Amino acid sequence: MNLFLILLSAIFVHNFVLSQFLGICPFLGVSKKVETASGMGIAVVFVITLASAATWLVHKFILVPLHIEYLYNIAFILIIASLVQLVEMFIKKSSPSLYQALGVYLPLITTNCAVLGVAVNNMNDGYGFIASVVNGIGAAIGFAIAIILFAGIRERVAKCNIPKSLEGFPIALITAGLMAIAFLGFSGML
């Protein structure tokens, strides 16, 4: 499959948050301000890209040769947790200001099911190494676009006059649903 199509498909058509509903917890929890959503989006791009490459390598060169493919969930979770810890240590050492800005959001990536979902989808779709990394990059960019757009909408909605019964979480869910419907329009493109 064409790598460009894989990238566009992962960003828009098969967006993990808005079409596959993976990564909803950080999507709803970290999207009250554009700044925090941007920080989370950038960190997720980095982690999903590295996790896509690392999980493909572990699956191909360790799990399959040893005939223990059934342990992929455990192996992938360990890889993701390790990557997040390495990224956290690297950022803490090299850029303390960025580490302070990301705060608790960086360790929360470990529990983001979108990261595991990308790795499992890469395996299930039978992507090669390059296609897995491209799909990971696309999925991460799609996540970042969705969370940043959602945060921008939530900031504007917070300034509007909303009925009491819809304030807070209910209007956020309605907004997320409308965004999912909007992204559904991309499904006819590819």
Side-chain angles (χ1 to χ4, degrees):
M1 183 180 250
N2 186 343
L3 294 177
F4 186 67
L5 287 177
I6 291 173
L7 182 70
L8 284 180
S9 175
I11 294 171
F12 297 111
V13 178
H14 301 293
N15 186 292
F16 274 83
V17 176
L18 299 173
S19 72
Q20 297 185 21
F21 306 112
L22 294 173
I24 293 293
C25 292
F27 178 72
L28 293 172
V30 184
S31 60
K32 291 182 182 173
K33 292 187 176 185
V34 172
E35 295 83 23
T36 56
S38 299
M40 179 63 135
I42 291 167
V44 167
V45 167
F46 190 69
V47 170
I48 287 182
T49 302
L50 286 178
S52 294
T55 55
W56 187 90
L57 292 169
V58 166
H59 183 261
K60 175 77 173 177
F61 295 113
I62 296 174
L63 298 179
V64 171
L66 295 176
H67 305 291
I68 54 172
E69 298 93 345
Y70 57 90
L71 294 175
Y72 72 89
N73 270 331
I74 296 168
F76 289 1
I77 290 169
L78 288 172
I79 291 167
I80 292 164
S82 300
L83 282 172
V84 170
Q85 288 301 311
L86 287 173
V87 168
E88 187 175 8
M89 288 187 308
F90 177 77
I91 291 174
K92 187 176 184 178
K93 202 69 151 164
S94 65
S95 178
S97 60
L98 178 60
Y99 179 77
Q100 290 291 341
L102 289 175
V104 72
Y105 302 117
L106 191 57
L108 284 178
I109 296 170
T110 302
T111 60
N112 187 342
C113 59
V115 181
L116 180 61
V118 172
V120 171
N121 279 355
N122 288 339
M123 179 188 70
N124 288 340
D125 292 342
Y127 287 151
F129 180 75
I130 300 296
S132 291
V133 173
V134 168
N135 187 52
I137 291 169
I141 290 171
F143 179 88
I145 287 171
I147 197 170
I148 292 167
L149 286 175
F150 188 56
I153 293 169
R154 284 183 80 176
E155 282 184 356
R156 293 197 61 176
V157 167
K159 297 175 184 174
C160 295
N161 188 13
I162 299 169
K164 275 281 192 217
S165 61
L166 294 177
E167 285 182 356
F169 200 63
I171 196 69
L173 289 176
I174 291 169
T175 304
L178 291 172
M179 281 183 66
I181 291 170
F183 269 69
L184 185 63
F186 291 117
S187 64
M189 287 178 39
L190 302 173

